[in-house]
Amino acid sequence: QKEVEQDPGPLSVPEGAIVSLNCTYSNSAFQYFMWYRQYSRKGPELLMYTYSSGNKEDGRFTAQVDKSSKYISLFIRDSQPSDSATYLCAMSFTGANSKLTFGKGITLSVRP
Amino acid sequence: ETGVTQTPRHLVMGMTNKKSLKCEQHLGHNAMYWYKQSAKKPLELMFVYSLEERVENNSVPSRFSPECPNSSHLFLHLHTLQPEDSALYLCASSQEVNSGNTIYFGEGSWLTVV
């Protein structure tokens, strides 16, 4: 089983839709959970960052972590064409030498 | 201007060429990284530097040679590459190495080996 699994997509939704992006993981020791957004031919940029379980909201974006199920989600409300990008989940342990483990990424297209 | 700057943005090289990728971070971070991003694969960590010292080398072929002259600059020297090395090479930095802190990426250098 891979450490981090992410739906491969691609995903296409109409403008205004609620989008749910998900990752599952196998190692219960992960404590930091991140979502990166990567526009075409650009580097990934940090979108959301959470520690341990719970929800975090930032504008139209909500990150959710369920450690009991080893499942994280990113919700995008009122999706816009400018949200069209590849979304990467990433996670790490605490402490030194805790490198990030990434999912493969899912490409989202929001149709006007 | 992004906090992590990479040059060149695009590079086409033959298998016998020698070229270098350059990265500069303006964030005052102590750690820098090289990642490789290929289609339909997770980001692959190649090298990690902490305060100019290499702390991790993830079984990367010797045709890739990193250099970190100071905590703000990182190079990736390329020689006798193979077509399968064509990918997006991303530089990143973080406050401390592999500490669970978030890392910040540059825009990447697109490499095509012909």
Side-chain angles (χ1 to χ4, degrees):
Chain A
Q1 183 183 12
K2 292 187 177 63
E3 275 201 291
V4 179
E5 300 264 15
Q6 186 172 7
D7 290 339
L11 181 63
S12 180
V13 301
E15 184 174 353
I18 297 174
V19 176
S20 172
L21 307 175
N22 309 298
C23 286
T24 58
Y25 60 95
S26 57
N27 194 327
S28 58
F30 284 131
Q31 292 283 0
Y32 292 93
F33 303 92
M34 289 138 250
W35 287 95
Y36 284 83
R37 178 176 60 195
Q38 185 174 20
Y39 290 115
S40 179
R41 308 193 76 79
K42 299 280 190 181
E45 58 176 328
L46 181 67
L47 191 60
M48 300 286 284
Y49 172 76
T50 51
Y51 173 71
S52 196
S53 280
N55 292 358
K56 186 171 184 178
E57 191 171 318
D58 183 2
R60 296 183 294 109
F61 297 89
T62 300
Q64 193 172 80
V65 176
D66 182 347
K67 293 194 72 182
S68 61
S69 302
K70 300 195 190 75
Y71 190 89
I72 69 170
S73 299
L74 178 70
F75 297 98
I76 307 174
R77 290 184 299 281
D78 187 25
S79 56
Q80 302 294 310
S82 58
D83 297 326
S84 299
T86 296
Y87 291 81
L88 305 162
C89 63
M91 46 199 78
S92 70
F93 313 117
T94 55
N97 296 318
S98 176
K99 60 186 177 184
L100 287 178
T101 301
F102 285 87
K104 289 185 182 181
I106 183 170
T107 298
L108 169 68
S109 175
V110 181
R111 307 185 303 271
Chain B
E1 183 184 318
T2 63
V4 180
T5 305
Q6 289 187 243
T7 55
R9 293 295 317 281
H10 301 272
L11 179 62
V12 179
M13 59 186 288
M15 288 190 282
T16 58
N17 291 159
K18 288 185 181 181
K19 297 284 185 183
S20 296
L21 305 180
K22 178 183 174 182
C23 176
E24 182 175 0
Q25 59 99 356
H26 314 276
L27 301 169
H29 288 166
N30 294 322
M32 296 187 77
Y33 311 78
W34 280 116
Y35 281 86
K36 176 182 178 182
Q37 188 175 35
S38 305
K40 304 198 185 300
K41 286 187 174 182
L43 283 169
E44 299 173 50
L45 180 62
M46 300 175 72
F47 299 104
V48 181
Y49 276 83
S50 173
L51 294 170
E52 305 139 48
E53 281 193 37
R54 191 191 307 180
V55 297
E56 192 161 340
N57 171 0
N58 286 328
S59 303
V60 179
S62 60
R63 56 186 184 269
F64 295 92
S65 174
E67 179 191 359
C68 188
N70 56 62
S71 59
S72 298
H73 293 86
L74 186 64
F75 295 89
L76 188 63
H77 303 300
L78 315 169
H79 62 99
T80 60
L81 294 191
Q82 305 298 310
E84 60 264 28
D85 297 322
S86 299
L88 177 65
Y89 289 84
L90 291 161
C91 176
S93 71
S94 65
Q95 186 59 51
E96 302 296 337
V97 66
N98 290 339
S99 61
N101 290 337
T102 55
I103 63 173
Y104 296 85
F105 289 90
E107 297 208 323
S109 294
W110 284 94
L111 172 66
T112 303
V113 181
V114 297

